[in-house]
């Protein structure tokens, strides 16, 4: 079976920048709120796992300052321009759960929308915990589309019905490629089972915004060929849905983002 990140979520595709911008707009405030709650500050050593853009990396760099460290890793780091990767930031090509951690003794390890796509999620999670110092914090954030599977919460017409049918098709395609649509809700249990202390979690659910529409558009463009090939949708249906989204008249919801955190004993 072809790995998900190689087939459906290839970071080299043209829409990657747009997706990263949408993720940043939708989720950065939630991510930063949790990190600040940990007491993140000057001198912290942080590992940003699966970094697909600059927003979290740049924010961390400002927080930890010149005495800190931000290790940003991913399967593709083409976003890592010199203006971002100057000290305290270092960027490294890395497959979490496959390669050895890029260091140890981290005060904070964070992964957003990355772990669910790892080829070995259990090994990836354990490698991130191993990289923490005693008392270090782990923050994992992943979507749970099975928790709320609708693209349009108000299904009041054929355009909404089409959007929801295509969201179900995307879910079926990702599940076939090994993505667990209910992974987000499992995070608290998995963190406790891995030995973390003080485990807690919450969820953020974007209902409608221009960023939701942008994310929907880039996702459908990215998966268009795979959806048609798998007979899960027609090209005409996808084109009609994209036109509806572009018109701004269809409220598109993003899947809930589950944030789970704990500290290493």
């Amino acid at each position: 079976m072809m790995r998900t990140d190689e087939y459906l979520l290839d970071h080299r595709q043209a829409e990657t920048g747009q997706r990263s911008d949408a993720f940043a707009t939708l989720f950065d405030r939630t991510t930063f709120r949790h990190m600040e709650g940990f007491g993140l500050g000057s001198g912290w050593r942080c590992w940003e796992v699966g970094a697909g853009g600059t927003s979290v990396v740049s924010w961390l760099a400002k927080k930890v300052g010149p005495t800190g460290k931000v290790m940003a890793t991913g399967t593709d780091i083409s976003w890592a321009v010199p203006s971002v990767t100057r000290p305290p930031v270092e960027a490294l090509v890395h497959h979490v759960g496959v390669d050895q951690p890029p260091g140890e003794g981290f005060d904070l390890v964070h992964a957003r929308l990355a772990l669910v796509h790892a080829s070995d999620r259990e090994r990836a999670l354990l490698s991130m915990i191993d990289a923490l110092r005693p008392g270090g914090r782990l923050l994992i954030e992943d979507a749970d589309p099975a928790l709320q599977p609708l693209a349009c919460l108000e299904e009041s017409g054929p355009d909404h019905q089409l959007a929801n049918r295509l969201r179900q098709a995307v879910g079926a395609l990702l599940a076939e490629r090994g993505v667990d649509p209910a992974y987000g809700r499992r995070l608290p249990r998995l963190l406790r089972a891995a030995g973390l202390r003080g485990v807690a979690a919450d969820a953020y659910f974007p209902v409608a915004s221009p960023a939701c529409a942008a994310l929907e558009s880039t996702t459908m463009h990215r998966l268009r060929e795979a959806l048609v090939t798998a007979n899960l949708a027609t090209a005409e249906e996808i084109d009609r849905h994209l036109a509806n989204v572009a018109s701004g008249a269809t409220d598109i919801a993003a899947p809930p983002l589950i944030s789970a955190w704990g500290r290493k004993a």
Side-chain angles (χ1 to χ4, degrees), residues 2-10 13 173 177 226 229:
M2 192 173 292
R3 279 176 45 187
T4 304
D5 58 349
E6 292 175 339
Y7 179 52
L8 297 177
L9 300 172
D10 188 345
Q13 296 190 34
L173 188 68
R177 283 0 184 237
T229 300

Side-chain angles (χ1 to χ4, degrees), residues 1-238:
M1 180 181 295
M2 192 173 292
R3 279 176 45 187
T4 304
D5 58 349
E6 292 175 339
Y7 179 52
L8 297 177
L9 300 172
D10 188 345
H11 292 301
R12 293 167 296 182
Q13 296 190 34
E15 301 90 351
T16 294
Q18 295 171 335
R19 284 175 61 85
S20 296
D21 291 344
F23 287 145
T25 301
L26 290 172
F27 301 129
D28 273 2
R29 285 186 297 175
T30 296
T31 297
F32 299 162
R33 171 172 58 86
H34 290 307
M35 291 179 173
E36 288 182 326
F38 301 152
L40 172 69
S42 179
W44 276 45
R45 301 184 70 251
C46 305
W47 178 17
E48 178 67 14
V49 181
T54 64
S55 65
V56 175
V57 173
S58 297
W59 185 86
L60 283 171
K62 292 178 182 178
K63 286 292 183 178
V64 304
T67 61
K69 176 74 174 179
V70 179
M71 176 64 72
T73 65
T75 57
D76 179 81
I77 57 170
S78 57
W79 54 266
V81 295
S83 61
V84 176
T85 54
R86 59 175 180 262
V89 175
E90 180 180 349
L92 178 70
V93 174
H94 179 269
H95 293 77
V96 65
V98 177
D99 301 331
Q100 290 295 316
E104 58 184 14
F106 289 103
D107 300 288
L108 170 66
V109 175
H110 171 243
R112 187 173 74 188
L113 299 168
L115 189 56
V116 72
H117 301 299
S119 56
D120 188 335
R121 288 186 282 267
E122 181 178 2
R123 184 177 175 187
L125 178 60
L126 292 177
S127 73
M128 287 188 278
I129 294 173
D130 287 343
L132 286 168
R133 67 164 176 81
R137 301 282 189 160
L138 177 68
L139 174 62
I140 303 293
E141 300 180 296
D142 256 305
D144 193 319
L147 187 64
Q148 194 299 104
L150 300 178
C152 293
L153 303 184
E154 183 186 24
E155 193 176 78
S156 60
D159 292 343
H160 300 146
Q161 293 169 355
L162 173 61
N164 287 339
R165 191 164 67 249
L166 290 176
R167 179 66 62 86
Q168 293 172 358
V170 169
L173 188 68
L174 293 176
E176 181 183 334
R177 283 0 184 237
V179 173
D180 182 356
Y183 187 70
R185 74 189 70 176
R186 308 189 204 285
L187 289 172
R189 174 177 57 81
L190 294 173
L191 267 56
R192 284 195 304 273
L196 294 188
R197 307 288 179 84
V199 172
D202 63 15
Y204 173 63
F205 176 26
V207 173
S209 78
C212 288
L215 181 60
E216 178 76 3
S217 179
T218 57
T219 299
M220 294 307 301
H221 278 295
R222 174 172 292 194
L223 301 184
R224 176 192 179 95
E225 183 178 348
L227 287 167
V228 173
T229 300
N231 293 319
L232 292 170
T234 67
E236 292 75 19
E237 288 175 328
I238 295 173

